[in-house]
């Protein structure tokens, strides 16, 4: 194992999160190395979603520290998490129904043309490449609301991968997918 893989890429130390009348997280410690896959299991109310939301910038921790690559970081919002290379795929879809697959995948990170306009051809090409890498046969120009729920979830996954994320958090994203789509 090389040095980068043996050291935790992500470290969460003593993470605490309180809500009025509820201690949702009590001193949580968690480490992840590059290339690892982790699963959080627990009943409703166990704090799994809260931990995900702390790491993805939805909730600030009340105590504890988060380190990326050995450096302490402050994740104030989802944009901070994205800058660190964190993408989150939630159970609830976060797509714009009246936009195309390509527009949804590259929303906020559109490839720009020479005159400061969106290069739609490049956007479609990049979407085709991304979908092909996932072995998905989804038309990049299809309007999202016309897709089935499983295809919409796969668009969510493709969108997370489009950010070249170093850490992808999935909150039960495969609950609506078939075995083939999960693979």
């Amino acid at each position: 194992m090389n040095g980068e893989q043996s050291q935790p890429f992500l470290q969460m130390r003593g993470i605490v999160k309180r809500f009025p009348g509820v201690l949702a997280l009590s001193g949580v410690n968690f480490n992840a190395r590059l290339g690892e896959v982790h699963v959080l299991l627990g009943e409703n109310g166990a704090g799994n979603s809260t931990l995900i939301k702390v790491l993805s910038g939805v909730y600030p921790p009340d105590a504890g520290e988060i380190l990326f690559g050995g450096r302490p970081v402050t994740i104030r919002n989802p944009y901070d998490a994205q800058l660190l290379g964190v993408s989150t795929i939630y159970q609830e879809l976060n797509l714009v129904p009246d936009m195309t697959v390509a527009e949804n995948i590259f929303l906020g990170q559109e490839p720009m043309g020479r005159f400061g306009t969106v290069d739609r051809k490049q956007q479609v090409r990049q979407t085709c490449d991304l979908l092909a890498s996932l072995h998905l046969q989804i038309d990049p120009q299809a309007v999202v609301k016309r897709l089935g729920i499983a295809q919409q979830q796969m668009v969510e996954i493709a969108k997370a991968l489009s950010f070249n994320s170093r850490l992808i958090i999935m909150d039960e994203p495969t609950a609506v997918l078939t075995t083939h789509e999960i693979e």
Side-chain angles (χ1 to χ4, degrees), residues 130-175:
L130 183 58
L131 295 173
S133 74
L134 296 171
H135 307 288
L136 296 175
Q137 295 182 2
I138 299 174
D139 179 357
Q141 296 181 21
V143 176
V144 165
K145 69 182 175 186
R146 300 206 194 305
L147 300 176
I149 191 73
Q151 287 182 310
Q152 289 181 30
Q153 188 67 304
M154 297 307 294
V155 171
E156 282 279 14
I157 292 168
K159 184 168 77 171
L161 293 172
S162 75
F163 288 103
N164 297 318
S165 300
R166 298 185 72 196
L167 176 66
I168 297 177
I169 302 167
M170 299 181 179
D171 187 7
E172 299 186 44
T174 60

Side-chain angles (χ1 to χ4, degrees), residues 15-129:
I15 300 297
V16 174
K17 182 62 189 170
R18 291 181 182 87
F19 297 102
V22 176
L23 178 61
L25 301 174
S26 177
V28 173
N29 296 309
F30 177 78
N31 292 335
R33 289 172 177 76
L34 292 174
E36 288 185 334
V37 175
H38 294 268
V39 176
L40 299 177
L41 293 174
E43 296 179 19
N44 284 343
N48 298 346
S49 292
T50 301
L51 185 64
I52 287 169
K53 288 178 179 178
V54 165
L55 188 53
S56 62
V58 174
Y59 300 146
D62 295 321
E65 114 181 291
I66 301 173
L67 292 92
F68 273 85
R71 296 175 310 141
V73 296
T74 301
I75 304 174
R76 295 176 300 268
N77 53 51
Y79 183 70
D80 284 350
Q82 185 180 358
L83 289 177
L84 290 167
V86 177
S87 286
T88 305
I89 303 167
Y90 294 101
Q91 282 179 279
E92 305 83 25
L93 296 175
N94 191 24
L95 299 171
V96 181
D98 291 319
M99 292 176 71
T100 69
V101 170
E103 290 167 336
N104 269 280
I105 288 175
F106 288 98
L107 186 61
Q109 57 173 352
E110 296 87 351
M112 302 307 283
R114 289 181 15 181
F115 302 108
T117 59
V118 175
D119 185 338
R120 300 223 183 264
K121 288 182 182 179
Q122 179 67 13
Q123 188 176 51
V124 169
R125 273 194 302 273
Q126 288 177 316
T127 301
C128 285
D129 292 345

